[in-house]
Amino acid sequence: EAQVTQNPRYLITVTGKKLTVTCSQNMNHEYMSWYRQDPGLGLRQIYYSMNVEVTDKGDVPEGYKVSRKEKRNFPLILESPSPNQTSLYFCASSLSMGYNEQFFGPGTRLTVL
Amino acid sequence: GDSVTQMEGPVTLSEEAFLTINCTYTATGYPSLFWYVQYPGEGLQLLLKATKADDKGSNKGFEATYRKETTSFHLEKGSVQVSDSAVYFCALRNAGNMLTFGGGTRLMVKP
């Protein structure tokens, strides 16, 4: 089954404790992206990757890191999480950057205390 | 910069009622326009799209027409069902291929 998976689905942590949210897709997609969803703000892009070893900042990259060492994986790293990073995070992928349809993962709800 | 504005929700309707969710956008050039749907506990799914002016996107009884003169892409459905209860996001993709989302509109359909 073609899908985008994220782990964990739910995470509660404390300020400053490094964490990683994993994202994996099995569709051989070149393009992957991370978004955060906050009430009333829709989805805002954090980082994206057009291919292996190619990443770039989105609209709200501060406080986040990403890496793309393999085509299927695109982890999101929070080196020192803060309460303003409490949010719902979505990973997405598509065949290429300009391709019409992005496939979204189920989301990761992160709470930083 | 680009922006998408949607009507604030929640929108509460009875089953079989007519649905309109307004969406307007600001962008340079000729963006592609999308509606995504998010069912409870799930990620977003593409519902429909339109890539040029006067195009009509349609899927699952939903429709939206790309109106360049009013910079709008309103979502409509003639008869909603309880299973349509979800959050709906309007989005655009500009020439740089970046997606910009609206704030989302929650639809609740009562039996």
Side-chain angles (χ1 to χ4, degrees):
Chain A
E1 180 190 353
Q3 59 183 350
V4 179
T5 57
Q6 296 177 227
N7 281 292
R9 294 290 312 278
Y10 303 91
L11 179 61
I12 301 174
T13 189
V14 296
T15 298
K17 186 176 181 181
K18 181 180 178 180
L19 66 92
T20 299
V21 184
T22 64
C23 172
S24 182
Q25 49 90 7
N26 62 1
M27 296 169 279
N28 201 37
H29 284 171
E30 289 186 349
Y31 180 81
M32 297 185 75
S33 180
W34 276 103
Y35 296 89
R36 60 178 289 173
Q37 181 182 7
D38 301 291
L41 297 177
L43 276 74
R44 294 178 293 169
Q45 192 176 51
I46 302 170
Y47 269 94
Y48 64 94
S49 169
M50 289 193 282
N51 214 326
V52 176
E53 302 291 2
V54 181
T55 63
D56 210 345
K57 296 177 181 178
D59 295 323
V60 288
E62 294 77 20
Y64 304 95
K65 285 175 55 177
V66 292
S67 69
R68 187 92 181 272
K69 294 185 177 4
E70 307 164 277
K71 199 170 190 179
R72 63 183 293 126
N73 296 324
F74 190 46
L76 179 70
I77 303 156
L78 284 71
E79 294 270 3
S80 182
S82 62
N84 65 10
Q85 293 178 298
T86 293
S87 188
L88 179 57
Y89 292 86
F90 287 100
C91 180
S93 73
S94 63
L95 277 175
S96 62
M97 189 174 183
Y99 193 73
N100 273 333
E101 182 166 6
Q102 288 196 34
F103 293 83
F104 283 79
T108 295
R109 185 166 292 283
L110 172 66
T111 302
V112 183
L113 302 175
Chain B
D2 299 339
S3 67
V4 177
T5 303
Q6 293 179 232
M7 59 191 295
E8 289 195 21
V11 174
T12 303
L13 296 173
S14 297
E15 207 164 22
E16 299 184 3
F18 185 86
L19 168 71
T20 300
I21 299 178
N22 290 338
C23 170
T24 57
Y25 67 90
T26 302
T28 55
Y30 303 94
S32 295
L33 301 174
F34 306 86
W35 277 100
Y36 280 83
V37 58
Q38 183 181 29
Y39 297 105
E42 298 182 12
L44 279 70
Q45 303 172 27
L46 180 64
L47 179 60
L48 54 84
K49 65 180 185 290
T51 57
K52 61 182 187 297
D54 300 324
D55 266 3
K56 177 184 284 188
S58 61
N59 186 25
K60 299 181 181 179
F62 291 89
E63 293 183 341
T65 301
Y66 189 143
R67 301 282 187 206
K68 186 163 177 60
E69 63 275 13
T70 55
T71 61
S72 64
F73 193 54
H74 304 322
L75 183 68
E76 296 181 335
K77 186 174 186 182
S79 176
V80 293
Q81 306 300 312
V82 172
S83 57
D84 294 325
S85 298
V87 181
Y88 292 82
F89 291 91
C90 186
L92 68 82
R93 192 181 72 232
N94 61 20
N97 287 318
M98 303 299 290
L99 266 180
T100 299
F101 287 87
T105 302
R106 181 176 299 279
L107 170 65
M108 298 170 59
V109 180
K110 299 185 296 185

